[in-house]
Amino acid sequence: MPLRSLRLRIFLVVLLLGMVPGFIVGASIIQNYEDRAVEQRVATVQNQLMIVANHLVSNDYLATYRSDEQVYINSRNVINAELEMIANLYEGRVMIINSNFKVVEDTYGISEGKIIISEEVIKCFQGENISHYDPEHGYIEMTTPIMDTTGEKSVIEGVMLTSISNGSIITMMEVLNRRVLLIETLLAVVVFVLAIALSVFMTRPFNRITQAIQRINSGYGDESISVPDYVETVHIVDQFNQLFQRMKSLDESRQEFVANVSHELKTPMTSIKVLADALLMEQDAPAELYREFMGDIVSEIDRENRIITDLLALVKMDKKVQDLNIAAVNINDMVELILKRLRPIARKKDVEVVFESMRPVVAEVDEVKMTLIMTNLVENSIKYNKDHGWVKVELDADHQFFTFKVSDSGIGIPEEALVHICERFYRVDKSHSREIGGTGLGLAITKSAVLLHRGTLTVNSVEGEGSSFLVKIPLTFIVS
């Protein structure tokens, strides 16, 4: 989708932010000019009409009784000339209306003697000046009171109803419109170019990130990416570098695992081949020698089978949590059953196995995998123990977790090996491990099963004194 492009979005945002305010400002300038021009024109004309209104009152223009007809005629002619001058100057029309709403004078000469009753005239007689601007028809209409202020109380004797043209305002607005349009066009061009430049410049760091990732994906680079242009790119690059390092570690772990598997599987096969070749070279080998060699071959096959079985178990552990068969299990009964199975092995080495339960524990676990966890830990403590030693199993719980602890008096684990004991095929003492049949996968399987239950596995050990393994598992299983 084109609209999902960051570059296009930046371009549109800059374009809109640059052009829309310009158009709004241009329209506002024209509108403000029109309002101001009309206001000034109305004020100017009103001032002139007020002067004429004063002349009308001082010359008794609207009076019905005249003491000197000739003087009245002369004054009337003078006032009419002023009205004509105003009408011609502003390309308008002036009508004088007396208190009976009768038109006394009309500069157009077509409404004299007629009665005009309109809202504007009535409001003017009530003392309210009215002005109305009609841009559609191109005129301004206003009313001016003819007020006699010579007495104790001001009296409105008539109204001047005036209409003037706004032609000059329209002409000026057209000129202003053309200038504003020219400025807006130039602004649009500048903003358009700026929007393109900013969209390209601001997305360049993201393009560098994409190119760097493409190089890594193509196999041409394995170094960390650095794009410090923005805080956002720093965060993205940091997260990618962490993911990349994790992927490298996983790849190295996979390669090491394949190498270890190859080595572990090759060793029994090599032993089988050596034994078989030895038998073939013996032309008249006695039956006892055949039985001895065949027994060794069977032992190597059993060892190979244990490695394959543990590998399959480890693969199953890598599956998703949804594959767990979670159910409420009595952990006390489970431990008792496991110890019952393992005590015969302990008796062969004269190792005492003690179980101490602090309280009854019922938890939501996968019974098969939890049995595997406990069996591996207890069996290891027995196998790697000293003669006449002991193994202590403790079970406890609080309101959230239950703990399963296995302590022994065995050979212990060197401090530098503690961080590696759960790695696949890792052995502290390889010769001793092979003597007791270890594959180096037991603790890796155990830790994977613990993690599937959202639990933890911690190890404490002192070389030559013994070890303790503590498993902590939630009582209630919650799928995240």
Side-chain angles (χ1 to χ4, degrees), residues 97-116:
I97 304 168
N98 63 16
S99 58
N100 296 321
F101 300 99
K102 181 179 179 181
V103 178
V104 176
E105 178 64 32
D106 182 5
T107 56
Y108 275 15
I110 57 176
S111 297
E112 292 177 357
K114 294 181 180 180
I115 301 297
I116 292 182

Side-chain angles (χ1 to χ4, degrees), residues 356 445 454:
E356 183 177 346
I445 294 172
R454 301 289 188 268

Side-chain angles (χ1 to χ4, degrees), residues 30 33 167-180:
I30 294 172
Y33 167 77
S168 61
I169 297 176
I170 292 175
T171 301
M172 189 60 192
M173 284 179 59
E174 290 175 351
V175 174
L176 191 59
N177 260 318
R178 287 195 294 269
R179 293 180 179 177
V180 169

